Amino acid sequence: MTLPSQAAIVVIGGGIIGCSTAYHLARDHKADVVLLEQGKLTSGSTWHAAGLVGQLRSSASITRVLKYSVDLYKGLEAETGLATGWKMTGCLRLATNADRWTEHKRLATTARSFGMDMQLLSPAEVKAMWPLMETGDLVGASWLPTDGQASPSDITQSLAKGARMHGAKLFEDVRVTGFEMKDGRITVVKTSEGDITCDKVVNCAGQWARQVGALAGINVPLQPVKHQYIITEKIDGLATDAPTIRDPDRRTYFKEEVGGLVMGGYEPNPQAWTTGDVPNDWEFRLFDDDYDHFEQHMMQAIARVPALETVGVKQMINGPESFTPDGNFILGTAPECANMFVGAGFNAFGIASGGGAGWVLAQWVVDGEAPLDLWVVDIRRFSNLHRDRQWVCDRTLEAYGKHYTIGFPHEEYASGRPRIVSPLYDRLKQQNAVFGSKLGWERPNWFAPQGIEPRDIYSMGRQNWFAAVGDEHRHVREKVGIFDQSSFAKYELSGPDALKALDWICANDVSKPVGRLTYTQLLNTRGGIEADLTVARLAEETFYIVTGTGFRTHDSSWIGDHIGEGLKATLVDVTEDFGTLSLMGPRARDVLAAVTDTDVSNAAFPFGHVREIAIAGHTIRALRVTYVGELGWELHVPIAATGEVFDALMAAGKKHDIRPVGYRALESLRLEKGYRAWGSDITPNDTPQEAGLGWAVKLRKNTDFIGRRALETASGTALKKRFAGFTVDDPEIVLLGRETILRDGEPVGYLTSGGYGYTLGMNIGYGYVRNADGVSDDFLASGDYELVVAMERTPAKIHLEPMYDPAAERVKA
Ligand SMILES: Cc1cc2nc3c(=O)[nH]c(=O)nc-3n(C[C@H](O)[C@H](O)[C@H](O)COP(=O)(O)OP(=O)(O)OC[C@H]3O[C@@H](n4cnc5c(N)ncnc54)[C@H](O)[C@@H]3O)c2cc1C
């Protein structure tokens, strides 16, 4: 077959991800697809994978993607005639201490929230299932019967055959060497065998995806790391259908293979491979065996399966795999180039993910938008910071080292910090701030009072900051606090067509007079919420847009990509131009009035307005908004003046007892007020109507906007899920999200957010209540609710209105 000179879609890479993507593009979309592989199919990381296939992740959508893989692998042979080696052996995940056991109980609840029957087993039950295992140190194990194992090369060959059967053209020994670009888009893929003109390119080049991306100016922040496992000779008494084992406290995993065991692990001291380019001639290649490094796993594995001490090792595999700074893979439209899509960085679960990742990526390529909420793997979760290879390497190695450590709630990464600091960093540090990091920014999570060590001490129950955050929370409710939110992403959209562009992009009506703010969602074509932000009209043709720190690349790409063809509107990221100080609390007005000549009375400066005001001789953009439910302003200060303005506010606020407050108090405050957080409470899977945000959608106006058609189509039908709040009285309970919601004893959904409300003195959770026949007010109100928290049921009360309404409280007072 000769290489075509033209194709609608070129997929680069013939590993499991490329083959799965080509298969789905051809099968589901009848697309004109060419796949190019520089060596032979599977010759990158795929051929040497161990082949464990697990399904549970902390995101419901990603769990769905992984479940899809399993369904695909089960049935693929019937379609293609090529076996995948799929065996549903189930997976045992062991626990040897109380914290791990709590983690497993929470995992089992998450699994059930996502519709998977994970069970908890006693050591005796584990022993009965896996008699060769030493179980004396076990507290128990979780058991997911539908997990299993498969043959990575066989699946890939089966997918490749399926792709060909559906019309895709696959070429081996063809290397992509560059791209021709026009107006930021790829027009031609240059290869060792000639050029291919194309509409879209999918970069599934595994650990080479970074350098392939770089050929088009795209950043794919992954790091190849050496990962090792051994394959033993036959072990007497080992069943061929023995479950796979994950033994996280001993950092190891096991899988049966031809009567012997595959055993590998995630060490705390991983070995990065190159931070330079990966050699092109790395076909079917491995590193030398490194038994010195592997010994740590060997010792732990022998303690678990003593038969390993005497059995011979048939082979050691030491291969490179791409890992990422947050342990999640990388999918979607590259923000730097509208027609390059990426599927790479699979963190040693590419076999488990392959089927499903190819399915959703193919849909994404065809539609130009993700088919479901894929935020946790979306390439737009990164920023320019991730162009720093050493930073990416350091953070990736930390994430690798934590693969099997206990996942404590609220845990922060330690590497590569501090990286980006606000001008207030030193001042806040002096006030005992304990920082967290978000997209490289240091942000104060809480402030340690005198006598408390300013650092997080993690545990499964209430952590050491709990009481201090309560004080900060009450301070904002009763007096006034100041939050350093300088890391907020900020853009300006300007030009004669700026309003027209935003009318189309925003679900709410932004065509308000100069000086007004609009809280709005940005919807996808399904009516799902792609972003949630504030738009301030600064001038007729200038809008200032503020969104969450982590959404910087995502939201600017979404807005940039949807500015209508030919419109005169320019989007500029001004994040670093402004520090942001949020002054919140009943005394906020008194403090602000003391530092500015502008009239900040309610009549002169009402809610939902933006004004330029002067503080300490600097011009500030003051936005009257709140995320805590109290009177307040977000003050956007020229970055260099942030310290000076902060000092002025602190000095003027002294008599009002002002104090700095951190992000953990902010979270508690917003939970009480019922503000939704994008990425958890509201996602591309949820419409504003389902989220109870229909009031912020301009359906009554005659302006078209993205998502309008979908919302109108759905408007005649009953909502199948609705967002609701829950409170739990029991003070011992810790809510984190993903706990199952039971209505009259039946599962109807799970929490998307969970935390503690200090003013209410109760645990608070939010989530969607689902019902196939529709969720009416009556349905919501008439049930008896419980939450399942770490496998235990606890009574809960449902709330359809904000649980705490400060304005109402004050009227009452
Ligand atoms: C030791 C080890 C054990 C593992 N165990 C498991 C496991 O148990 N379960 C699991 O789910 N995952 C496991 N993995 C991970 C799994 O192997 C990977 O996640 C998966 O294979 C990644 O597939 P891929 O298609 O992204 O990459 P690859 O298989 O590397 O495919 C990328 C392809 O792109 C080609 N390419 C690169 N550049 C170009 C170019 N310029 N032109 C054309 N072609 C190009 C390469 O030649 C390569 O074939 C393991 C990995 C390792 C290293």
Side-chain angles (χ1 to χ4, degrees):
M1 195 163 45
T2 50
L3 198 67
S5 59
Q6 207 174 346
I9 303 168
V10 174
V11 176
I12 305 168
I16 189 165
I17 306 302
C19 290
S20 176
T21 306
Y23 168 79
H24 287 94
L25 280 167
R27 188 195 72 176
D28 298 350
H29 307 284
K30 314 286 169 253
D32 165 25
V33 190
V34 166
L35 180 146
L36 306 175
E37 163 55 48
Q38 64 182 355
K40 298 288 178 236
L41 296 181
T42 77
S43 65
S45 288
T46 296
W47 69 280
H48 56 63
L52 282 82
V53 176
Q55 300 166 88
L56 182 61
R57 306 288 291 178
S58 57
S59 145
S61 294
I62 304 304
T63 303
R64 193 173 146 204
V65 166
L66 269 60
K67 269 163 101 175
Y68 175 94
S69 293
V70 165
D71 289 341
L72 180 72
Y73 302 162
K74 271 185 210 163
L76 200 59
E77 182 178 0
E79 184 189 356
T80 66
L82 292 184
T84 61
W86 167 251
K87 271 204 288 185
M88 197 177 88
T89 54
C91 174
L92 286 167
R93 188 177 277 265
L94 312 181
T96 68
N97 57 64
D99 283 343
R100 180 72 75 185
W101 191 234
T102 303
E103 182 187 61
H104 280 20
K105 288 197 276 188
R106 286 184 178 155
L107 269 180
T109 298
T110 300
R112 290 179 179 202
S113 289
F114 297 169
M116 282 192 294
D117 186 21
M118 183 180 263
Q119 295 150 26
L120 296 175
L121 305 183
S122 68
E125 288 170 309
V126 174
K127 185 81 183 172
M129 271 180 160
W130 231 97
L132 294 179
M133 188 196 303
E134 187 53 55
T135 54
D137 60 341
L138 293 191
V139 181
S142 62
W143 164 240
L144 193 55
T146 51
D147 275 356
Q149 59 187 66
S151 162
S153 296
D154 292 348
I155 300 174
T156 308
Q157 294 295 353
S158 194
L159 285 167
K161 184 166 176 207
R164 287 193 189 98
M165 285 164 58
H166 291 288
K169 301 182 192 88
L170 279 60
F171 295 87
E172 296 184 314
D173 303 312
V174 179
R175 173 169 302 138
V176 170
T177 54
F179 301 104
E180 273 176 30
M181 319 246 330
K182 193 163 178 254
D183 301 330
R185 293 177 70 88
I186 296 170
T187 51
V188 173
V189 176
K190 304 190 80 65
T191 84
S192 51
E193 306 299 315
D195 294 354
I196 306 177
T197 314
C198 68
D199 298 332
K200 292 175 180 175
V201 175
V202 195
N203 176 0
C204 299
Q207 58 182 337
W208 295 265
R210 180 191 272 276
Q211 62 218 54
V212 168
L215 296 172
I218 287 157
N219 184 36
V220 184
L222 51 77
Q223 173 61 45
V225 180
K226 297 178 178 180
H227 186 70
Q228 298 195 87
Y229 65 84
I230 54 163
I231 309 168
T232 74
E233 303 285 358
K234 226 166 165 325
I235 298 177
D236 286 342
L238 182 64
T240 51
D241 60 353
T244 56
I245 301 175
R246 290 183 174 81
D247 188 2
D249 294 325
R250 294 185 182 276
R251 293 176 168 274
T252 46
Y253 59 80
F254 302 82
K255 171 199 125 175
E256 185 277 339
E257 188 164 301
V258 239
L261 273 181
V262 161
M263 186 279 288
Y266 288 86
E267 58 278 19
N269 54 339
Q271 298 171 317
W273 192 24
T274 175
T275 51
D277 279 356
V278 173
N280 281 326
D281 59 344
W282 193 266
E283 200 181 348
F284 293 118
R285 277 179 65 184
L286 294 172
F287 304 111
D288 291 341
D289 298 350
D290 187 348
Y291 276 98
D292 285 347
H293 192 69
F294 197 70
E295 194 188 351
Q296 52 188 322
H297 295 315
M298 210 59 215
M299 284 163 57
Q300 294 291 349
I302 289 170
R304 179 63 64 216
V305 183
L308 282 174
E309 185 147 27
T310 45
V311 74
V313 172
K314 208 157 61 179
Q315 196 185 358
M316 171 171 262
I317 301 283
N318 185 3
E321 160 69 341
S322 8
F323 287 81
T324 64
D326 59 5
N328 258 322
F329 53 88
I330 306 175
L331 223 58
T333 324
E336 304 93 337
C337 171
N339 67 342
M340 184 187 263
F341 296 80
V342 177
F346 277 85
N347 293 278
F349 66 107
I351 308 308
S353 321
W359 164 56
V360 289
L361 184 55
Q363 190 80 48
W364 200 332
V365 170
V366 169
D367 293 346
E369 70 183 33
L372 59 156
D373 168 28
L374 296 171
W375 167 238
V376 294
V377 297
D378 193 320
I379 190 168
R380 294 167 297 180
R381 72 190 187 275
F382 301 114
S383 67
N384 274 340
L385 159 74
H386 298 93
R387 290 185 175 269
D388 179 339
R389 299 203 65 164
Q390 194 56 50
W391 191 93
V392 167
C393 179
D394 293 347
R395 181 56 64 86
T396 300
L397 293 185
E398 185 187 0
Y400 178 109
K402 283 185 165 163
H403 185 83
Y404 275 158
T405 58
I406 294 172
F408 286 108
H410 311 287
E411 204 173 332
E412 295 278 347
Y413 284 103
S415 59
R417 295 179 55 188
R419 171 67 191 213
I420 311 171
V421 296
S422 108
L424 302 183
Y425 180 72
D426 290 328
R427 285 175 175 80
L428 299 181
K429 210 175 162 100
Q430 269 172 15
Q431 307 231 24
N432 281 343
V434 181
F435 292 90
S437 90
K438 192 72 168 253
L439 213 64
W441 285 80
E442 291 295 310
R443 310 192 312 172
N445 276 339
W446 61 287
F447 293 82
Q450 284 300 319
I452 303 272
E453 195 187 348
R455 73 176 178 99
D456 283 332
I457 300 176
Y458 299 122
S459 66
M460 283 297 183
R462 298 282 178 224
Q463 299 182 355
N464 66 323
W465 45 264
F466 185 73
V469 169
D471 289 343
E472 293 175 29
H473 170 119
R474 279 182 288 272
H475 209 90
V476 176
R477 286 270 181 264
E478 291 161 17
K479 296 173 182 170
V480 58
I482 187 161
F483 299 86
D484 179 9
Q485 301 195 281
S486 300
S487 60
F488 269 164
K490 312 159 199 101
Y491 328 109
E492 276 176 14
L493 185 76
S494 51
D497 295 325
L499 176 61
K500 204 166 171 193
L502 287 177
D503 269 343
W504 169 240
I505 292 169
C506 298
N508 205 348
D509 181 14
V510 295
S511 63
K512 300 198 179 102
V514 171
R516 292 291 303 275
L517 300 177
T518 310
Y519 163 67
T520 184
Q521 275 86 46
L522 316 188
L523 307 183
N524 58 37
T525 56
R526 303 185 308 278
I529 303 172
E530 284 287 339
D532 172 81
L533 40 77
T534 307
V535 178
R537 190 163 197 182
L538 297 183
E540 281 300 320
E541 297 184 355
T542 308
F543 294 84
Y544 184 56
I545 303 170
V546 184
T547 188
T549 309
F551 316 139
R552 180 175 183 176
T553 311
H554 176 272
D555 290 6
S556 69
S557 304
W558 183 269
I559 297 168
D561 289 350
H562 291 89
I563 295 175
E565 190 90 15
L567 291 190
K568 292 198 181 70
T570 313
L571 185 71
V572 181
D573 187 323
V574 294
T575 300
E576 274 84 13
D577 293 356
F578 296 93
T580 305
L581 304 175
S582 296
L583 184 70
M584 299 281 153
R587 299 193 196 162
R589 178 172 290 121
D590 300 329
V591 178
L592 195 58
V595 293
T596 183
D597 292 336
T598 307
D599 182 356
V600 293
S601 66
N602 195 47
F605 198 156
F607 187 78
H609 283 67
V610 55
R611 301 259 186 276
E612 286 200 338
I613 66 173
I615 302 178
H618 302 284
T619 306
I620 314 289
R621 293 174 179 179
L623 280 60
R624 187 148 166 225
V625 283
T626 180
Y627 193 57
V628 301
E630 298 292 341
L631 172 68
W633 281 265
E634 253 176 37
L635 304 171
H636 293 251
V637 183
I639 193 94
T642 312
E644 234 180 289
V645 171
F646 176 79
D647 292 344
L649 289 164
M650 289 298 283
K654 204 163 178 190
K655 66 176 177 203
H656 301 287
D657 205 10
I658 193 169
R659 60 162 296 176
V661 179
Y663 271 84
R664 292 206 178 124
L666 186 77
E667 173 67 5
S668 165
L669 290 157
R670 76 99 191 163
L671 284 172
E672 284 185 343
K673 190 69 176 90
Y675 290 122
R676 282 81 166 142
W678 191 82
S680 51
D681 302 327
I682 47 177
T683 74
N685 291 348
D686 316 306
T687 66
Q689 276 70 14
E690 291 164 341
L693 295 171
W695 56 269
V697 181
K698 58 183 175 218
L699 276 178
R700 285 209 202 98
K701 259 201 109 185
N702 203 13
T703 321
D704 200 8
F705 60 90
I706 307 167
R708 179 173 188 125
R709 201 174 316 157
L711 296 187
E712 281 175 343
T713 309
S715 69
T717 56
L719 293 171
K720 304 251 185 327
K721 62 176 196 190
R722 275 175 64 186
F723 193 72
F726 298 89
T727 47
V728 170
D729 283 334
D730 183 348
E732 298 302 310
I733 296 284
V734 176
L735 295 182
L736 298 168
R738 289 174 282 281
E739 293 82 359
T740 315
I741 305 168
L742 301 180
R743 179 183 175 278
D744 296 337
E746 293 298 318
V748 288
Y750 55 89
L751 296 190
T752 49
S753 278
Y756 190 78
Y758 294 89
T759 305
L760 292 184
M762 273 189 269
N763 293 294
I764 299 177
Y766 289 93
Y768 291 88
V769 173
R770 295 169 160 81
N771 183 31
D773 296 330
V775 183
S776 62
D777 286 350
D778 191 47
F779 181 87
L780 286 173
S782 62
D784 277 332
Y785 290 90
E786 291 166 287
L787 297 180
V788 186
V789 184
M791 298 296 269
E792 307 271 344
R793 285 173 169 209
T794 186
K797 199 169 152 227
I798 192 164
H799 298 260
L800 301 175
E801 299 296 328
M803 296 168 195
Y804 178 73
D805 188 343
E809 290 301 311
R810 223 158 294 124
V811 171
K812 268 192 262 162

